[in-house]
């Protein structure tokens, strides 16, 4: 990555916008939603285990806060 913390945030916002767009299946309009938790190395952890734990906490926070 570039080390710029805005890069993962901008990418996540684009993904969420795409997922929230309505999808037409035949005559039915379908809506979806998603939650994303973002962590960065090494700020949030320096091993796979600590990054995974931090990512899970970030995801749960995102789900709670909408």
């Amino acid at each position: 990555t570039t080390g710029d913390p805005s890069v993962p945030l901008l990418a996540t916002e684009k993904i969420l916008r795409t997922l929230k767009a309505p999808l037409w299946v035949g005559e039915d309009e379908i809506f979806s939603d998603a939650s994303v938790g973002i962590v960065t190395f090494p700020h949030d952890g320096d091993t796979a285990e600590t990054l995974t734990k931090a990512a899970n906490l970030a995801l749960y926070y995102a789900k709670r806060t909408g």
Side-chain angles (χ1 to χ4, degrees):
T1 67
T2 65
D4 181 351
S6 67
V7 172
L9 181 59
L10 292 172
T12 300
E13 288 172 345
K14 184 175 182 178
I15 292 166
L16 290 173
R17 257 193 326 274
T18 301
L19 290 173
K20 289 182 179 186
L23 173 68
W24 286 92
V25 178
E27 295 182 14
D28 298 319
E29 189 175 19
I30 309 253
F31 296 91
S32 66
D33 201 2
S35 298
V36 176
I38 299 173
V39 296
T40 57
F41 173 87
H43 180 264
D44 297 301
D46 59 359
T47 66
E49 183 179 353
T50 57
L51 285 168
T52 300
K53 287 179 182 179
N56 283 328
L57 290 172
L59 178 58
Y60 294 136
Y61 177 79
K63 287 181 177 185
R64 280 194 319 269
T65 60

